[in-house]
Amino acid sequence: MDENSQSSASIPAKPQPKITPWAGPLWQGCAEGKLRLPYCNQCEACFYYPRLWCPQCFNQGLSWQDVSGKGKVYSFSVIHQSPLPSYQEDLPYVLAVIELTEGPRMMTNIINCEVDAVSVDMPVEVTFEARGDMKIPQFQPTI
Amino acid sequence: MSNPVAIAAVSEMKPGRYPDKSGFDLYLDVVRQFLAEWSVKPSDIQGLLACPSGMAEGGSNDIFVHEQLYEELGIHPLFADTMNAGGSTYGLMVQRAALAIKQGVADSVLCLGAGKFPKVGTGGAELMARMVSHEIYEFPYGTFIPAIYAQVASRHMFEYGTTPEQFAEVAVSSREWALKNPDAVMYDSEPLTVATVRGSRPIATPFHLFDCSIPVEGGAAVLVTSELVAKRFSNQPAYLLGMGEYHSHRNIHQAPSLTNVGCRYAGQQAYQRTGLTPSDIDFAEIYDAFSVNPLVFMEDLGLCEKGKGGEFFESGASRPGGDFPVNTYGGLLSYGHTGDASGMSMIVEGARQIMGLAGERQLNKADVGIVHSYGGMMSEHSTLILGRQA
Ligand SMILES: [Zn+2]
């Protein structure tokens, strides 16, 4: 890649998630500053990511629930080299899988902290990052 | 198993960079080399399985590649398909072929693979990154392949106290074997040390550059047959004693566990179907896109205690002259990772060790070997147990 072409003006925007029709409340929640997950009334449990049925019991009668947004780092990596043009400015960044108190795991970045401060099992909480005209869930150390 | 099935013949191109060849050109080279090395007649190939070779090129135009291949060969198979399960494609091909042979659908099935990697700087790495993660719920966070596998390594470190130096030992061991394999891309290189691995450029903690496999291009052919047909090709075919598969997730954040992966369940099925136990196994060929993988899979296959994979590799047992050789051809870490065809290399080597065709690196004891491969982000798993006695 021609490094000179990567002036700050030409850095592409980070990916903006596509909103599927059955995931609307998740993204509406993010816009309101709430982590809102699909909830199965039969299993009495939330799951992630939004699907047309509950992956535990196939129930299609689903509702939505605002969850605590708190959890722990399940695993992580500090990224020093990335093939993704939109993430070059962020290097080094943290890619992590977090486990919510309610159970489901989510892919996320750990933001608003030094990358060396991140560890497995560290308590984290949700925060929201703007991507274009929408917001996406991100996680930061619990304050 | 009743109606014994065996790998009767194997052939693999020397891995390297072939910039002027398309994926299909590589396929033709694989077939030409296979036909030249083994005296195969058209009637010897009753079935054919192949995999699209263009994934890493960024778009497969060969999703029907088996059709073109059987036409080029001039055969009319009774059993044929194009299939893809990433790195586990060829393990699963051997399993599908064995089922067809046991069922009497065909006496012989030729499994073929060829793979290319994208040219550096063409955006191929980004395309691959997009392909291996959930487009909506993962890719927006900057996922790509080493960063995803690093999650497995970090969790293992947390649960079992495994160290980055112990992951590096896996790469050190593979390099020692590659120095004995003239076909390995690192054959002419120097031995690795833990310090060299840790001193190479950091990619995604805990991985440094030499914790990652080497992208190259190539391909291979594996002929799976009934015992009767196998005996025509070799006095010592590699009998397929047991097999198992398991598919647990596609996207890494959905994996039920990062330290007990689908390998464990595929392995359990393979053992159960043979009546063999881990203590019967002489050596292992384990898919190793990253240094962490053989370490976790040794545990999941019951070849060492859970959590002791690091100690196992640190002990030197996996290296030439060790008690339990692993990745005797150099592994994807030092032999080379041939993209869409990478899942072939460990099957070819496992069969060669059983058949006594492994040259300078031939093991003294290779009566029973285990071959494990996985596809996707530790998503789907294939375990094969190969042996000298049906
Ligand atoms: Zn349910």
Side-chain angles (χ1 to χ4, degrees), chain A residues 48 51 74-78 80-81 84 87 93 95 105 109 131 137, chain B residues 140-142 144 150-151 154-155 201 203-205 253-255 258:
Chain A
Y48 183 82
R51 279 166 246 204
Y74 178 71
S75 197
F76 77 102
S77 176
V78 180
H80 292 277
Q81 186 185 326
L84 307 171
Y87 265 85
Y93 64 90
L95 180 74
R105 292 194 196 129
N109 300 126
R131 288 284 169 98
Chain B
Y141 298 101
F144 60 102
Q151 309 292 320
S154 290
R155 185 71 197 179
R201 128 175 140 251
I203 306 289
T205 60
H253 81 273
Q254 296 282 321
L258 291 184

PDB file of all heavy atoms in Angstrom, chain A residues 48 51 74-78 80-81 84 87 93 95 105 109 131 137, chain B residues 140-142 144 150-151 154-155 201 203-205 253-255 258:
ATOM      1  N   TYR A  48     -27.935 -12.516  22.225  1.00  0.00           N
ATOM      2  CA  TYR A  48     -27.270 -11.607  21.309  1.00  0.00           C
ATOM      3  C   TYR A  48     -26.597 -12.483  20.285  1.00  0.00           C
ATOM      4  O   TYR A  48     -26.054 -13.546  20.643  1.00  0.00           O
ATOM      5  CB  TYR A  48     -26.217 -10.762  22.047  1.00  0.00           C
ATOM      6  CG  TYR A  48     -25.518  -9.728  21.205  1.00  0.00           C
ATOM      7  CD1 TYR A  48     -26.102  -8.487  20.959  1.00  0.00           C
ATOM      8  CD2 TYR A  48     -24.264  -9.994  20.658  1.00  0.00           C
ATOM      9  CE1 TYR A  48     -25.442  -7.530  20.198  1.00  0.00           C
ATOM     10  CE2 TYR A  48     -23.615  -9.028  19.891  1.00  0.00           C
ATOM     11  CZ  TYR A  48     -24.209  -7.806  19.664  1.00  0.00           C
ATOM     12  OH  TYR A  48     -23.572  -6.867  18.907  1.00  0.00           O
ATOM     13  N   ARG A  51     -32.046 -12.254  16.365  1.00  0.00           N
ATOM     14  CA  ARG A  51     -32.431 -13.242  15.360  1.00  0.00           C
ATOM     15  C   ARG A  51     -33.942 -13.302  15.249  1.00  0.00           C
ATOM     16  O   ARG A  51     -34.652 -12.745  16.085  1.00  0.00           O
ATOM     17  CB  ARG A  51     -31.914 -14.632  15.749  1.00  0.00           C
ATOM     18  CG  ARG A  51     -30.453 -14.817  15.377  1.00  0.00           C
ATOM     19  CD  ARG A  51     -29.867 -16.029  16.068  1.00  0.00           C
ATOM     20  NE  ARG A  51     -28.865 -15.554  16.994  1.00  0.00           N
ATOM     21  CZ  ARG A  51     -27.844 -16.279  17.442  1.00  0.00           C
ATOM     22  NH1 ARG A  51     -27.700 -17.532  17.084  1.00  0.00           N
ATOM     23  NH2 ARG A  51     -26.973 -15.753  18.258  1.00  0.00           N
ATOM     24  N   TYR A  74     -14.145 -11.205  28.501  1.00  0.00           N
ATOM     25  CA  TYR A  74     -13.991 -12.667  28.395  1.00  0.00           C
ATOM     26  C   TYR A  74     -12.638 -12.988  27.762  1.00  0.00           C
ATOM     27  O   TYR A  74     -11.936 -13.896  28.183  1.00  0.00           O
ATOM     28  CB  TYR A  74     -15.139 -13.246  27.575  1.00  0.00           C
ATOM     29  CG  TYR A  74     -15.052 -14.743  27.372  1.00  0.00           C
ATOM     30  CD1 TYR A  74     -15.276 -15.627  28.424  1.00  0.00           C
ATOM     31  CD2 TYR A  74     -14.734 -15.270  26.111  1.00  0.00           C
ATOM     32  CE1 TYR A  74     -15.186 -16.996  28.239  1.00  0.00           C
ATOM     33  CE2 TYR A  74     -14.647 -16.646  25.923  1.00  0.00           C
ATOM     34  CZ  TYR A  74     -14.869 -17.501  26.982  1.00  0.00           C
ATOM     35  OH  TYR A  74     -14.771 -18.859  26.792  1.00  0.00           O
ATOM     36  N   SER A  75     -12.289 -12.220  26.739  1.00  0.00           N
ATOM     37  CA  SER A  75     -10.942 -12.318  26.169  1.00  0.00           C
ATOM     38  C   SER A  75     -10.667 -11.052  25.363  1.00  0.00           C
ATOM     39  O   SER A  75     -11.593 -10.286  25.069  1.00  0.00           O
ATOM     40  CB  SER A  75     -10.798 -13.561  25.298  1.00  0.00           C
ATOM     41  OG  SER A  75      -9.417 -13.825  25.113  1.00  0.00           O
ATOM     42  N   PHE A  76      -9.407 -10.830  25.007  1.00  0.00           N
ATOM     43  CA  PHE A  76      -9.064  -9.590  24.294  1.00  0.00           C
ATOM     44  C   PHE A  76      -7.720  -9.741  23.607  1.00  0.00           C
ATOM     45  O   PHE A  76      -6.958 -10.686  23.886  1.00  0.00           O
ATOM     46  CB  PHE A  76      -8.996  -8.401  25.275  1.00  0.00           C
ATOM     47  CG  PHE A  76      -7.718  -8.395  26.081  1.00  0.00           C
ATOM     48  CD1 PHE A  76      -6.675  -7.536  25.749  1.00  0.00           C
ATOM     49  CD2 PHE A  76      -7.551  -9.266  27.143  1.00  0.00           C
ATOM     50  CE1 PHE A  76      -5.488  -7.549  26.473  1.00  0.00           C
ATOM     51  CE2 PHE A  76      -6.365  -9.280  27.868  1.00  0.00           C
ATOM     52  CZ  PHE A  76      -5.335  -8.426  27.539  1.00  0.00           C
ATOM     53  N   SER A  77      -7.450  -8.796  22.718  1.00  0.00           N
ATOM     54  CA  SER A  77      -6.127  -8.708  22.109  1.00  0.00           C
ATOM     55  C   SER A  77      -5.818  -7.243  21.834  1.00  0.00           C
ATOM     56  O   SER A  77      -6.709  -6.486  21.428  1.00  0.00           O
ATOM     57  CB  SER A  77      -6.086  -9.507  20.802  1.00  0.00           C
ATOM     58  OG  SER A  77      -4.837  -9.356  20.162  1.00  0.00           O
ATOM     59  N   VAL A  78      -4.579  -6.854  22.076  1.00  0.00           N
ATOM     60  CA  VAL A  78      -4.131  -5.508  21.705  1.00  0.00           C
ATOM     61  C   VAL A  78      -3.592  -5.590  20.282  1.00  0.00           C
ATOM     62  O   VAL A  78      -2.638  -6.326  20.010  1.00  0.00           O
ATOM     63  CB  VAL A  78      -3.039  -4.992  22.661  1.00  0.00           C
ATOM     64  CG1 VAL A  78      -2.597  -3.593  22.236  1.00  0.00           C
ATOM     65  CG2 VAL A  78      -3.530  -5.000  24.095  1.00  0.00           C
ATOM     66  N   HIS A  80      -1.680  -4.435  17.126  1.00  0.00           N
ATOM     67  CA  HIS A  80      -0.570  -3.561  16.753  1.00  0.00           C
ATOM     68  C   HIS A  80      -0.481  -3.350  15.256  1.00  0.00           C
ATOM     69  O   HIS A  80       0.113  -2.392  14.786  1.00  0.00           O
ATOM     70  CB  HIS A  80       0.744  -4.137  17.273  1.00  0.00           C
ATOM     71  CG  HIS A  80       0.852  -4.102  18.769  1.00  0.00           C
ATOM     72  ND1 HIS A  80       1.256  -2.984  19.452  1.00  0.00           N
ATOM     73  CD2 HIS A  80       0.555  -5.028  19.719  1.00  0.00           C
ATOM     74  CE1 HIS A  80       1.241  -3.230  20.753  1.00  0.00           C
ATOM     75  NE2 HIS A  80       0.814  -4.454  20.948  1.00  0.00           N
ATOM     76  N   GLN A  81      -1.021  -4.314  14.495  1.00  0.00           N
ATOM     77  CA  GLN A  81      -0.970  -4.196  13.039  1.00  0.00           C
ATOM     78  C   GLN A  81      -2.293  -4.708  12.496  1.00  0.00           C
ATOM     79  O   GLN A  81      -2.714  -5.811  12.846  1.00  0.00           O
ATOM     80  CB  GLN A  81       0.180  -5.045  12.496  1.00  0.00           C
ATOM     81  CG  GLN A  81       0.388  -4.876  11.008  1.00  0.00           C
ATOM     82  CD  GLN A  81       1.464  -5.822  10.483  1.00  0.00           C
ATOM     83  OE1 GLN A  81       2.430  -6.120  11.173  1.00  0.00           O
ATOM     84  NE2 GLN A  81       1.279  -6.283   9.260  1.00  0.00           N
ATOM     85  N   LEU A  84      -6.979  -3.162   8.214  1.00  0.00           N
ATOM     86  CA  LEU A  84      -8.177  -2.355   7.969  1.00  0.00           C
ATOM     87  C   LEU A  84      -7.828  -0.866   7.906  1.00  0.00           C
ATOM     88  O   LEU A  84      -7.428  -0.277   8.923  1.00  0.00           O
ATOM     89  CB  LEU A  84      -9.200  -2.601   9.078  1.00  0.00           C
ATOM     90  CG  LEU A  84      -9.523  -4.085   9.283  1.00  0.00           C
ATOM     91  CD1 LEU A  84     -10.370  -4.283  10.531  1.00  0.00           C
ATOM     92  CD2 LEU A  84     -10.227  -4.644   8.059  1.00  0.00           C
ATOM     93  N   TYR A  87      -8.996   1.593  10.625  1.00  0.00           N
ATOM     94  CA  TYR A  87      -8.515   1.424  12.002  1.00  0.00           C
ATOM     95  C   TYR A  87      -7.050   1.823  12.183  1.00  0.00           C
ATOM     96  O   TYR A  87      -6.511   1.710  13.283  1.00  0.00           O
ATOM     97  CB  TYR A  87      -8.748  -0.020  12.473  1.00  0.00           C
ATOM     98  CG  TYR A  87     -10.045  -0.164  13.248  1.00  0.00           C
ATOM     99  CD1 TYR A  87     -11.253  -0.370  12.598  1.00  0.00           C
ATOM    100  CD2 TYR A  87     -10.063  -0.056  14.639  1.00  0.00           C
ATOM    101  CE1 TYR A  87     -12.442  -0.467  13.306  1.00  0.00           C
ATOM    102  CE2 TYR A  87     -11.239  -0.153  15.355  1.00  0.00           C
ATOM    103  CZ  TYR A  87     -12.426  -0.358  14.687  1.00  0.00           C
ATOM    104  OH  TYR A  87     -13.594  -0.451  15.399  1.00  0.00           O
ATOM    105  N   TYR A  93      -5.160  -0.734  19.149  1.00  0.00           N
ATOM    106  CA  TYR A  93      -6.519  -0.742  19.699  1.00  0.00           C
ATOM    107  C   TYR A  93      -6.820  -2.114  20.295  1.00  0.00           C
ATOM    108  O   TYR A  93      -6.092  -3.076  20.040  1.00  0.00           O
ATOM    109  CB  TYR A  93      -7.560  -0.350  18.651  1.00  0.00           C
ATOM    110  CG  TYR A  93      -7.719  -1.278  17.463  1.00  0.00           C
ATOM    111  CD1 TYR A  93      -8.634  -2.333  17.487  1.00  0.00           C
ATOM    112  CD2 TYR A  93      -6.994  -1.080  16.288  1.00  0.00           C
ATOM    113  CE1 TYR A  93      -8.805  -3.157  16.387  1.00  0.00           C
ATOM    114  CE2 TYR A  93      -7.163  -1.904  15.187  1.00  0.00           C
ATOM    115  CZ  TYR A  93      -8.066  -2.947  15.235  1.00  0.00           C
ATOM    116  OH  TYR A  93      -8.239  -3.768  14.151  1.00  0.00           O
ATOM    117  N   LEU A  95      -9.317  -5.249  20.650  1.00  0.00           N
ATOM    118  CA  LEU A  95     -10.466  -6.031  20.204  1.00  0.00           C
ATOM    119  C   LEU A  95     -10.757  -7.031  21.318  1.00  0.00           C
ATOM    120  O   LEU A  95      -9.842  -7.710  21.800  1.00  0.00           O
ATOM    121  CB  LEU A  95     -10.144  -6.768  18.905  1.00  0.00           C
ATOM    122  CG  LEU A  95     -11.293  -7.616  18.352  1.00  0.00           C
ATOM    123  CD1 LEU A  95     -12.379  -6.718  17.743  1.00  0.00           C
ATOM    124  CD2 LEU A  95     -10.794  -8.610  17.296  1.00  0.00           C
ATOM    125  N   ARG A 105     -22.502 -12.981  25.101  1.00  0.00           N
ATOM    126  CA  ARG A 105     -21.204 -12.389  24.786  1.00  0.00           C
ATOM    127  C   ARG A 105     -21.342 -11.480  23.569  1.00  0.00           C
ATOM    128  O   ARG A 105     -22.182 -11.714  22.697  1.00  0.00           O
ATOM    129  CB  ARG A 105     -20.175 -13.477  24.493  1.00  0.00           C
ATOM    130  CG  ARG A 105     -19.840 -14.275  25.724  1.00  0.00           C
ATOM    131  CD  ARG A 105     -18.591 -15.119  25.530  1.00  0.00           C
ATOM    132  NE  ARG A 105     -18.552 -16.127  26.583  1.00  0.00           N
ATOM    133  CZ  ARG A 105     -18.385 -17.421  26.370  1.00  0.00           C
ATOM    134  NH1 ARG A 105     -18.180 -17.888  25.157  1.00  0.00           N
ATOM    135  NH2 ARG A 105     -18.399 -18.270  27.384  1.00  0.00           N
ATOM    136  N   ASN A 109     -14.799  -3.202  21.069  1.00  0.00           N
ATOM    137  CA  ASN A 109     -13.502  -2.632  21.426  1.00  0.00           C
ATOM    138  C   ASN A 109     -13.586  -2.244  22.895  1.00  0.00           C
ATOM    139  O   ASN A 109     -14.674  -2.025  23.417  1.00  0.00           O
ATOM    140  CB  ASN A 109     -13.196  -1.386  20.589  1.00  0.00           C
ATOM    141  CG  ASN A 109     -13.151  -1.681  19.090  1.00  0.00           C
ATOM    142  OD1 ASN A 109     -13.839  -1.041  18.298  1.00  0.00           O
ATOM    143  ND2 ASN A 109     -12.358  -2.654  18.701  1.00  0.00           N
ATOM    144  N   ARG A 131     -21.399   6.175  14.782  1.00  0.00           N
ATOM    145  CA  ARG A 131     -20.957   5.687  13.467  1.00  0.00           C
ATOM    146  C   ARG A 131     -21.933   6.266  12.456  1.00  0.00           C
ATOM    147  O   ARG A 131     -23.071   5.800  12.362  1.00  0.00           O
ATOM    148  CB  ARG A 131     -20.989   4.157  13.387  1.00  0.00           C
ATOM    149  CG  ARG A 131     -19.920   3.452  14.172  1.00  0.00           C
ATOM    150  CD  ARG A 131     -18.549   3.519  13.511  1.00  0.00           C
ATOM    151  NE  ARG A 131     -17.508   3.047  14.410  1.00  0.00           N
ATOM    152  CZ  ARG A 131     -16.996   1.811  14.399  1.00  0.00           C
ATOM    153  NH1 ARG A 131     -17.411   0.938  13.533  1.00  0.00           N
ATOM    154  NH2 ARG A 131     -16.064   1.471  15.261  1.00  0.00           N
ATOM    155  N   PRO A 137     -22.838  -0.066  20.240  1.00  0.00           N
ATOM    156  CA  PRO A 137     -22.354  -0.342  21.594  1.00  0.00           C
ATOM    157  C   PRO A 137     -20.846  -0.548  21.604  1.00  0.00           C
ATOM    158  O   PRO A 137     -20.300  -1.194  20.704  1.00  0.00           O
ATOM    159  CB  PRO A 137     -23.095  -1.625  21.998  1.00  0.00           C
ATOM    160  CG  PRO A 137     -23.610  -2.220  20.736  1.00  0.00           C
ATOM    161  CD  PRO A 137     -23.697  -1.137  19.711  1.00  0.00           C
TER     162      PRO A 137
ATOM    163  N   PRO B 140     -17.574  -4.308  12.355  1.00  0.00           N
ATOM    164  CA  PRO B 140     -17.430  -2.875  12.675  1.00  0.00           C
ATOM    165  C   PRO B 140     -16.430  -2.583  13.801  1.00  0.00           C
ATOM    166  O   PRO B 140     -16.057  -1.427  14.002  1.00  0.00           O
ATOM    167  CB  PRO B 140     -18.855  -2.467  13.081  1.00  0.00           C
ATOM    168  CG  PRO B 140     -19.730  -3.407  12.339  1.00  0.00           C
ATOM    169  CD  PRO B 140     -18.985  -4.723  12.380  1.00  0.00           C
ATOM    170  N   TYR B 141     -15.971  -3.609  14.526  1.00  0.00           N
ATOM    171  CA  TYR B 141     -15.021  -3.402  15.619  1.00  0.00           C
ATOM    172  C   TYR B 141     -13.565  -3.646  15.203  1.00  0.00           C
ATOM    173  O   TYR B 141     -12.683  -3.688  16.051  1.00  0.00           O
ATOM    174  CB  TYR B 141     -15.402  -4.285  16.809  1.00  0.00           C
ATOM    175  CG  TYR B 141     -16.773  -3.941  17.355  1.00  0.00           C
ATOM    176  CD1 TYR B 141     -17.888  -4.708  17.041  1.00  0.00           C
ATOM    177  CD2 TYR B 141     -16.947  -2.792  18.137  1.00  0.00           C
ATOM    178  CE1 TYR B 141     -19.147  -4.369  17.517  1.00  0.00           C
ATOM    179  CE2 TYR B 141     -18.208  -2.446  18.616  1.00  0.00           C
ATOM    180  CZ  TYR B 141     -19.304  -3.236  18.304  1.00  0.00           C
ATOM    181  OH  TYR B 141     -20.545  -2.892  18.759  1.00  0.00           O
ATOM    182  N   GLY B 142     -13.336  -3.820  13.911  1.00  0.00           N
ATOM    183  CA  GLY B 142     -11.952  -3.954  13.451  1.00  0.00           C
ATOM    184  C   GLY B 142     -11.412  -5.368  13.579  1.00  0.00           C
ATOM    185  O   GLY B 142     -10.258  -5.571  13.941  1.00  0.00           O
ATOM    186  N   PHE B 144     -10.058  -9.012  12.287  1.00  0.00           N
ATOM    187  CA  PHE B 144      -9.362  -9.698  11.188  1.00  0.00           C
ATOM    188  C   PHE B 144      -8.773 -10.976  11.779  1.00  0.00           C
ATOM    189  O   PHE B 144      -8.828 -11.184  13.001  1.00  0.00           O
ATOM    190  CB  PHE B 144      -8.315  -8.798  10.530  1.00  0.00           C
ATOM    191  CG  PHE B 144      -7.234  -8.318  11.457  1.00  0.00           C
ATOM    192  CD1 PHE B 144      -5.987  -8.911  11.447  1.00  0.00           C
ATOM    193  CD2 PHE B 144      -7.479  -7.288  12.349  1.00  0.00           C
ATOM    194  CE1 PHE B 144      -4.988  -8.480  12.306  1.00  0.00           C
ATOM    195  CE2 PHE B 144      -6.481  -6.861  13.225  1.00  0.00           C
ATOM    196  CZ  PHE B 144      -5.240  -7.452  13.197  1.00  0.00           C
ATOM    197  N   ALA B 150      -6.247 -14.505  18.451  1.00  0.00           N
ATOM    198  CA  ALA B 150      -5.606 -14.008  19.669  1.00  0.00           C
ATOM    199  C   ALA B 150      -6.566 -14.095  20.858  1.00  0.00           C
ATOM    200  O   ALA B 150      -6.138 -14.250  22.001  1.00  0.00           O
ATOM    201  CB  ALA B 150      -5.133 -12.575  19.457  1.00  0.00           C
ATOM    202  N   GLN B 151      -7.871 -14.018  20.599  1.00  0.00           N
ATOM    203  CA  GLN B 151      -8.858 -14.138  21.688  1.00  0.00           C
ATOM    204  C   GLN B 151      -8.749 -15.517  22.333  1.00  0.00           C
ATOM    205  O   GLN B 151      -8.890 -15.666  23.554  1.00  0.00           O
ATOM    206  CB  GLN B 151     -10.297 -13.952  21.158  1.00  0.00           C
ATOM    207  CG  GLN B 151     -10.543 -12.712  20.306  1.00  0.00           C
ATOM    208  CD  GLN B 151     -10.435 -11.415  21.080  1.00  0.00           C
ATOM    209  OE1 GLN B 151     -10.889 -11.330  22.216  1.00  0.00           O
ATOM    210  NE2 GLN B 151      -9.826 -10.405  20.474  1.00  0.00           N
ATOM    211  N   SER B 154      -5.487 -15.538  24.478  1.00  0.00           N
ATOM    212  CA  SER B 154      -5.596 -14.767  25.727  1.00  0.00           C
ATOM    213  C   SER B 154      -6.434 -15.489  26.768  1.00  0.00           C
ATOM    214  O   SER B 154      -6.123 -15.468  27.958  1.00  0.00           O
ATOM    215  CB  SER B 154      -6.249 -13.406  25.460  1.00  0.00           C
ATOM    216  OG  SER B 154      -5.393 -12.589  24.739  1.00  0.00           O
ATOM    217  N   ARG B 155      -7.504 -16.106  26.318  1.00  0.00           N
ATOM    218  CA  ARG B 155      -8.365 -16.816  27.266  1.00  0.00           C
ATOM    219  C   ARG B 155      -7.637 -18.027  27.855  1.00  0.00           C
ATOM    220  O   ARG B 155      -7.767 -18.331  29.038  1.00  0.00           O
ATOM    221  CB  ARG B 155      -9.671 -17.244  26.567  1.00  0.00           C
ATOM    222  CG  ARG B 155     -10.692 -17.876  27.488  1.00  0.00           C
ATOM    223  CD  ARG B 155     -11.325 -16.867  28.440  1.00  0.00           C
ATOM    224  NE  ARG B 155     -11.985 -17.531  29.552  1.00  0.00           N
ATOM    225  CZ  ARG B 155     -12.606 -16.909  30.550  1.00  0.00           C
ATOM    226  NH1 ARG B 155     -12.673 -15.580  30.582  1.00  0.00           N
ATOM    227  NH2 ARG B 155     -13.170 -17.580  31.518  1.00  0.00           N
ATOM    228  N   ARG B 201       7.914  -8.902  14.869  1.00  0.00           N
ATOM    229  CA  ARG B 201       7.030  -7.745  15.030  1.00  0.00           C
ATOM    230  C   ARG B 201       5.688  -8.142  15.655  1.00  0.00           C
ATOM    231  O   ARG B 201       5.125  -9.187  15.326  1.00  0.00           O
ATOM    232  CB  ARG B 201       6.976  -7.113  13.649  1.00  0.00           C
ATOM    233  CG  ARG B 201       5.785  -6.816  13.024  1.00  0.00           C
ATOM    234  CD  ARG B 201       5.994  -6.065  11.677  1.00  0.00           C
ATOM    235  NE  ARG B 201       5.036  -6.594  10.738  1.00  0.00           N
ATOM    236  CZ  ARG B 201       5.335  -7.352   9.707  1.00  0.00           C
ATOM    237  NH1 ARG B 201       6.562  -7.653   9.425  1.00  0.00           N
ATOM    238  NH2 ARG B 201       4.383  -7.810   8.938  1.00  0.00           N
ATOM    239  N   ILE B 203       1.813  -8.409  16.245  1.00  0.00           N
ATOM    240  CA  ILE B 203       0.646  -8.291  15.360  1.00  0.00           C
ATOM    241  C   ILE B 203      -0.597  -8.015  16.208  1.00  0.00           C
ATOM    242  O   ILE B 203      -1.234  -6.974  16.087  1.00  0.00           O
ATOM    243  CB  ILE B 203       0.442  -9.588  14.539  1.00  0.00           C
ATOM    244  CG1 ILE B 203       1.725  -9.958  13.777  1.00  0.00           C
ATOM    245  CG2 ILE B 203      -0.762  -9.439  13.604  1.00  0.00           C
ATOM    246  CD1 ILE B 203       2.085  -9.078  12.622  1.00  0.00           C
ATOM    247  N   ALA B 204      -0.932  -8.986  17.042  1.00  0.00           N
ATOM    248  CA  ALA B 204      -2.116  -8.885  17.910  1.00  0.00           C
ATOM    249  C   ALA B 204      -1.785  -9.704  19.148  1.00  0.00           C
ATOM    250  O   ALA B 204      -1.637 -10.911  19.039  1.00  0.00           O
ATOM    251  CB  ALA B 204      -3.350  -9.438  17.196  1.00  0.00           C
ATOM    252  N   THR B 205      -1.637  -9.063  20.302  1.00  0.00           N
ATOM    253  CA  THR B 205      -1.154  -9.778  21.492  1.00  0.00           C
ATOM    254  C   THR B 205      -2.009 -11.005  21.778  1.00  0.00           C
ATOM    255  O   THR B 205      -3.229 -10.928  21.647  1.00  0.00           O
ATOM    256  CB  THR B 205      -1.172  -8.869  22.748  1.00  0.00           C
ATOM    257  OG1 THR B 205      -2.516  -8.443  22.975  1.00  0.00           O
ATOM    258  CG2 THR B 205      -0.252  -7.666  22.574  1.00  0.00           C
ATOM    259  N   HIS B 253     -17.446 -14.699  18.702  1.00  0.00           N
ATOM    260  CA  HIS B 253     -18.098 -14.299  19.958  1.00  0.00           C
ATOM    261  C   HIS B 253     -19.254 -15.242  20.295  1.00  0.00           C
ATOM    262  O   HIS B 253     -19.782 -15.206  21.406  1.00  0.00           O
ATOM    263  CB  HIS B 253     -18.560 -12.829  19.902  1.00  0.00           C
ATOM    264  CG  HIS B 253     -19.853 -12.596  19.201  1.00  0.00           C
ATOM    265  ND1 HIS B 253     -19.957 -12.406  17.843  1.00  0.00           N
ATOM    266  CD2 HIS B 253     -21.123 -12.517  19.674  1.00  0.00           C
ATOM    267  CE1 HIS B 253     -21.228 -12.219  17.517  1.00  0.00           C
ATOM    268  NE2 HIS B 253     -21.954 -12.281  18.605  1.00  0.00           N
ATOM    269  N   GLN B 254     -19.650 -16.092  19.350  1.00  0.00           N
ATOM    270  CA  GLN B 254     -20.710 -17.072  19.583  1.00  0.00           C
ATOM    271  C   GLN B 254     -20.154 -18.447  19.977  1.00  0.00           C
ATOM    272  O   GLN B 254     -20.925 -19.373  20.217  1.00  0.00           O
ATOM    273  CB  GLN B 254     -21.559 -17.231  18.317  1.00  0.00           C
ATOM    274  CG  GLN B 254     -22.310 -15.972  17.908  1.00  0.00           C
ATOM    275  CD  GLN B 254     -23.561 -15.743  18.739  1.00  0.00           C
ATOM    276  OE1 GLN B 254     -24.287 -16.672  19.071  1.00  0.00           O
ATOM    277  NE2 GLN B 254     -23.829 -14.493  19.078  1.00  0.00           N
ATOM    278  N   ALA B 255     -18.850 -18.602  20.020  1.00  0.00           N
ATOM    279  CA  ALA B 255     -18.261 -19.893  20.390  1.00  0.00           C
ATOM    280  C   ALA B 255     -18.680 -20.243  21.814  1.00  0.00           C
ATOM    281  O   ALA B 255     -18.575 -19.401  22.711  1.00  0.00           O
ATOM    282  CB  ALA B 255     -16.741 -19.821  20.304  1.00  0.00           C
ATOM    283  N   LEU B 258     -13.866 -20.803  24.393  1.00  0.00           N
ATOM    284  CA  LEU B 258     -12.654 -20.586  23.596  1.00  0.00           C
ATOM    285  C   LEU B 258     -11.545 -21.545  23.994  1.00  0.00           C
ATOM    286  O   LEU B 258     -10.501 -21.585  23.358  1.00  0.00           O
ATOM    287  CB  LEU B 258     -12.160 -19.140  23.750  1.00  0.00           C
ATOM    288  CG  LEU B 258     -13.039 -18.052  23.112  1.00  0.00           C
ATOM    289  CD1 LEU B 258     -12.383 -16.686  23.265  1.00  0.00           C
ATOM    290  CD2 LEU B 258     -13.313 -18.350  21.646  1.00  0.00           C
TER     291      LEU B 258
END
